[in-house]
Amino acid sequence: MLKVTNLTKKYGKMLAVKNVSFFVETGEIAVLAGPNGAGKSTVIKSIVGLLRYQGSITVNDKINKSIEGKSYIGYIPEIPSLFPLLTVSEHITLMAHAFGIKDYETEAEELLKAFDLWDKKDKFGSELSKGMQQKVSICCAIITKPKILLVDEPMVGLDPKAIRTMKNLLLKLKEQGTSIVVSTHLLDSVQDLWDRIIIMKDGEFVYSNTKHEIGKEDKSLEDIFFEYTEE
Ligand code: ADP
């Protein structure tokens, strides 16, 4: 379970995130939505531990920046950043070793094959297209068996087969009990995945609810988004 409590982030004097609180249950896929500049990336980077902030963030009851907390978190950034001189296989091995994952080879092979990367496994990071780099970045996060997975704009730049593979992976992780936060503008792309929506605007928390609750009113993600973000 992911719990964000009174998160506030300033960049210099600019207040980017204001006292935001929300939670994501175990085995839930939450969509973090909001207009440009709402503070979504800032929230995600705070959870991942890349920023200084005020407030409290816990993952399965551990502080996100503790060693145990960090070991629970997987992150797929919007822009992949691979090591130019490591091969695809070496990226996966590095992540598995860093997170103490044993016997990862079979899963690594399955992941690379699912993303059509198996024949590219000995290519260097610098030799990959943008889409391929993104797929490697996804494999790197999944191989660590995260209990909390943060995904920033997951579908942008992926081909249709990779989008389907990505969606299936998210559903599999959810079944295994991972709490997943997906930040995206492409609400259609996650219409068949989400369990909870969290809406931010102008750095503030606006709304959160589960599909189960909202479903009674038969609304799409887009309907809910506009309802809570338009004046
Ligand atoms: P979103 O992901 O919802 O588009 P961001 O979290 O990227 O929003 O940005 C929230 C606000 O913080 C915006 O006003 C943005 O200009 C500002 N911001 C983001 N990153 C920085 C930074 N590194 N330095 C200064 N301001 C930033």
Side-chain angles (χ1 to χ4, degrees), residues 11-12 14-17 34-43 45 51 152 183 185 203:
Y11 294 105
M14 195 265 177
L15 197 50
V17 171
N36 288 324
K40 304 180 297 296
S41 289
T42 302
V43 166
K45 286 180 191 156
L51 298 175
D152 210 346
S183 170
H185 290 115

Side-chain angles (χ1 to χ4, degrees), residues 8-200:
T8 294
K9 170 65 190 173
K10 281 184 189 167
Y11 294 105
K13 287 186 180 157
M14 195 265 177
L15 197 50
V17 171
K18 305 166 199 168
N19 212 28
V20 164
S21 301
F22 63 85
F23 61 89
V24 180
E25 296 281 6
T26 299
E28 230 175 38
I29 299 181
V31 174
L32 179 59
N36 288 324
K40 304 180 297 296
S41 289
T42 302
V43 166
I44 288 201
K45 286 180 191 156
S46 301
I47 297 168
V48 176
L50 299 175
L51 298 175
R52 289 178 188 210
Y53 54 80
Q54 290 165 289
S56 147
I57 300 174
T58 58
V59 289
N60 286 12
D61 295 325
K62 305 290 175 199
I63 292 172
N64 62 332
K65 290 190 175 179
S66 66
I67 290 177
E68 204 171 351
K70 279 184 192 168
S71 75
Y72 294 161
I73 299 175
Y75 175 44
I76 304 173
E78 184 176 4
I79 300 165
S81 70
L82 301 189
F83 296 100
L85 294 181
L86 285 189
T87 65
V88 170
S89 289
E90 285 166 349
H91 277 88
I92 310 279
T93 303
L94 176 70
M95 290 302 286
H97 285 191
F99 281 73
I101 307 293
K102 302 214 164 34
D103 302 324
Y104 62 90
E105 289 85 355
T106 307
E107 192 183 356
E109 183 174 337
E110 283 169 9
L111 275 173
L112 293 178
K113 284 182 173 164
F115 278 117
D116 292 328
L117 285 172
W118 185 241
D119 59 339
K120 313 274 186 315
K121 64 184 190 307
D122 297 321
K123 280 199 177 293
F124 291 119
S126 60
E127 295 177 307
L128 303 175
S129 72
K130 166 95 196 314
M132 287 175 197
Q133 290 181 35
Q134 189 151 358
K135 293 178 190 178
V136 175
S137 175
I138 295 167
C139 296
C140 282
I142 305 281
I143 204 72
T144 68
K145 302 193 183 299
K147 292 186 171 31
I148 313 288
L149 180 65
L150 290 309
V151 198
D152 210 346
E153 288 296 355
M155 315 301 178
V156 174
L158 292 181
D159 58 48
K161 184 179 171 192
I163 290 175
R164 183 180 289 182
T165 303
M166 174 79 190
K167 284 184 178 182
N168 288 338
L169 281 172
L170 292 182
L171 288 171
K172 193 170 150 195
L173 283 173
K174 166 191 150 83
E175 273 169 30
Q176 292 166 357
T178 302
S179 307
I180 301 170
V181 180
V182 177
S183 170
T184 184
H185 290 115
L186 305 174
L187 296 176
D188 270 357
S189 70
V190 285
Q191 185 61 46
D192 48 350
L193 289 182
W194 68 288
D195 301 301
R196 175 181 295 279
I197 183 165
I198 300 161
I199 299 180
M200 290 182 65

